Amino acid sequence: MAPTRNDDVDWDSWPVQDYLGENYRELHPSDAAVIAHHCAFYRQFAPASAARSLEFGAGPNLYPLILAAAASRRIDAVEASAAGVAYLTRQLEQGPDESWLPFHALCRRLNPDLPPTLVEALAGVRVVHGDIRALPPGTYDIASMNFVAEGVTEDFTEFTDFCHRFVRSVAPGGHLVAAFMENMPTYRIGPASRWPGCPVNPAVVTEVFAPLTEHLTVTRIDADPTLPDYGDSGMVLLTAARRGA
C-alpha cells in the first residue's frame, strides 16, 4: 500500500478540541522539557531583535508562539487547516483559553524577557492561512517547527522536503528550533480520526538537517506517561542555523 501523503488528508477536519484535550489542557512534563529547551534557544537573542519569526505549521499549540515573543517583533503562525486557523484566530481576537496561562508562566519564568501577560505575549502574532510549502525562501530571521513534518505524511521523502523547506524559510544564517515526535506511527486523535505519521529518531533528524545547517544540535527526551500513548518513544529536539549562501 502506498504511503499516505500530505495532500491525501483533509486537514480542515483536524480535530482541534480532541487534540487540545489530549495534549494541552494541562502542562505535561514533556511540554515543560520542550519549553526549557526552546527557552534556552531564545535566550541567545536580545528582546525584539528578530523582525520576523515563523511558526511553521502552527496548529492550535500556543506555547511556541509565546516562546517566540521574547525575541520577535512579529510572528507569522502559518497554518493550512481551517480548523486550526479558526482556533488561533479566536485565541487572538477573543482572548486565550485559561489553560494556556501555566504555559506562559513557565515560559516567562525561564525567559524573563517575555511580556508579562499572555495577551501581550501573543500581541505580535499574525495568523496566516496557507500552505507552508508556498512560503518564499529566506523570509524569516527565526523559524520554529513543532510536531509538524513527522505528523503530516507517511512518506520519508516528503518528510525530508518539509524539513528542508523549514530550513530555507529563514535567511542564510537564520536560526531554527524544532521538536519532533520520536518514532511516531500513524496515530489516532479522539474516538475515531486517524492521521499520518513518519517515524523518525535523532539519527534520522540529524541526517536530514546536516546538509543545510550549521551549529546543529539534536537531543531527545523519553516518552511522557502522562500523555496518550500514540505509539511514539519520546521527542527529538533540534537547534541549528541555516548555512550561509
Side-chain angles (χ1 to χ4, degrees):
M1 182 181 295
T4 299
R5 293 173 59 84
N6 182 264
D7 290 340
D8 298 330
V9 178
D10 176 16
W11 293 107
D12 288 342
S13 66
W14 176 258
V16 167
Q17 293 305 321
D18 286 333
Y19 179 72
L20 291 171
E22 292 179 11
N23 292 278
Y24 296 119
R25 291 307 184 199
E26 61 181 270
L27 177 55
H28 293 275
S30 57
D31 300 317
V34 175
I35 287 169
H37 173 269
H38 286 18
C39 272
F41 166 81
Y42 281 110
R43 283 198 303 268
Q44 70 182 298
F45 306 109
S49 58
R52 293 181 70 183
S53 293
L54 168 67
E55 188 59 32
F56 188 94
N61 182 1
L62 294 193
Y63 79 67
L65 304 174
I66 298 168
L67 287 163
S72 311
R73 300 195 292 277
R74 172 174 143 183
I75 305 156
D76 287 352
V78 180
E79 171 62 24
S81 165
V85 167
Y87 177 79
L88 291 172
T89 302
R90 284 197 307 273
Q91 295 300 290
L92 297 180
E93 293 181 352
Q94 300 175 22
D97 297 340
E98 288 190 1
S99 54
W100 293 110
L101 290 172
F103 291 83
H104 172 261
L106 176 60
C107 293
R108 189 156 192 265
R109 188 159 66 247
L110 295 173
N111 189 351
D113 289 335
L114 273 170
T117 70
L118 178 53
V119 170
E120 288 174 293
L122 297 173
V125 175
R126 186 186 74 154
V127 180
V128 180
H129 190 185
D131 190 328
I132 49 182
R133 294 170 293 187
L135 288 171
T139 301
Y140 295 94
D141 302 305
I142 301 171
S144 165
M145 177 174 69
N146 294 277
F147 317 119
V148 175
E150 79 286 12
V152 298
T153 183
E154 296 175 358
D155 185 280
F156 180 73
T157 299
E158 190 169 42
F159 164 80
T160 301
D161 178 66
F162 272 101
C163 291
H164 287 182
R165 289 176 185 271
F166 167 61
V167 173
R168 293 187 179 110
S169 69
V170 297
H175 297 272
L176 306 160
V177 63
F180 307 83
M181 300 303 293
E182 183 183 62
N183 293 314
M184 172 77 102
T186 297
Y187 58 101
R188 172 172 284 141
I189 294 176
S193 69
R194 296 191 68 83
W195 304 90
C198 182
V200 300
N201 58 39
V204 168
V205 170
T206 299
E207 179 183 356
V208 167
F209 278 84
L212 301 182
T213 64
E214 55 192 8
H215 312 302
L216 174 64
T217 64
V218 177
T219 58
R220 67 173 301 282
I221 57 175
D222 289 333
D224 186 341
T226 72
L227 288 171
D229 182 3
Y230 293 118
D232 63 279
S233 58
M235 296 177 182
V236 180
L237 306 176
L238 171 148
T239 62
R242 181 182 172 183
R243 286 191 189 277

